[in-house]
Amino acid sequence: MVAVFVDADACPVKDEAARVAERHGLVITYVANFGLRPSRDPMVRNVMVPQGADAADDWIVENSAPGDLVVTADIPLASRILAKGGAAIGPTGKLFTTDSIGMALAMRDLNQHLRETGESRGFNAAFSAKDRSNFLQQFDALVQRAKRG
């Protein structure tokens, strides 16, 4: 059965991911370093990992299986999930694919370099209602595809 993992630290679409997972009868696991709200729903699991740069990412990779779905804005985590045979989607509804992940990693590295050299301040666009709506549509479609195999 398909499982859903959410890289929950600073994820703006936790509730939306839960609604989609519930509608499709899927277990959803939130993984974070801190601040998860407990749930009585047996289909919702919370995993607290130790503080550390990649602790949540490592846990998700170790505990996911091919075909599982991961919600994350972390491009290196998305790359690791794709390599494992899973699917990854960002909070704005952007689907990471094997065709697009290389460019996403390269752009991430370039932007990091520009921030480090002072060429860019690295401001991200504000998360919008349109982003939330797009996530709901794209995530629901991804879940449907994953359930079909």
Side-chain angles (χ1 to χ4, degrees):
M1 176 183 251
V2 175
V4 175
F5 295 89
V6 177
D7 184 6
D9 287 327
C11 178
V13 291
K14 289 189 279 282
D15 293 338
E16 290 78 5
R19 284 200 314 261
V20 172
E22 180 180 15
R23 186 168 49 244
H24 291 280
L26 300 178
V27 172
I28 187 167
T29 303
Y30 296 104
V31 184
N33 298 107
F34 60 89
L36 291 174
R37 282 182 278 144
S39 174
R40 294 182 184 186
D41 186 336
M43 300 297 277
V44 176
R45 298 188 178 136
N46 289 326
V47 175
M48 298 290 288
V49 295
Q51 293 291 331
D54 293 323
D57 300 358
D58 293 342
W59 192 96
I60 292 169
V61 171
E62 289 169 16
N63 290 278
S64 65
D68 286 345
L69 311 177
V70 175
V71 177
T72 184
D74 187 302
I75 297 167
L77 172 57
S79 178
R80 293 170 67 190
I81 292 300
L82 291 173
K84 193 171 179 176
I89 187 171
T92 61
K94 179 182 179 189
L95 186 62
F96 296 101
T97 67
T98 55
D99 291 337
S100 69
I101 197 68
M103 181 61 79
L105 284 166
M107 290 302 296
R108 176 190 175 275
D109 291 345
L110 174 62
N111 287 329
Q112 180 177 350
H113 175 74
L114 292 173
R115 284 189 304 275
E116 289 170 355
T117 60
E119 295 293 321
S120 169
R121 292 188 181 181
F123 296 116
N124 292 326
F127 189 77
S128 70
K130 183 177 179 183
D131 293 330
R132 191 175 308 281
S133 175
N134 191 50
F135 172 81
L136 276 167
Q137 290 174 349
Q138 297 303 320
F139 187 56
D140 190 70
L142 179 62
V143 168
Q144 289 178 35
R145 284 193 305 273
K147 286 175 65 179
R148 286 193 298 265

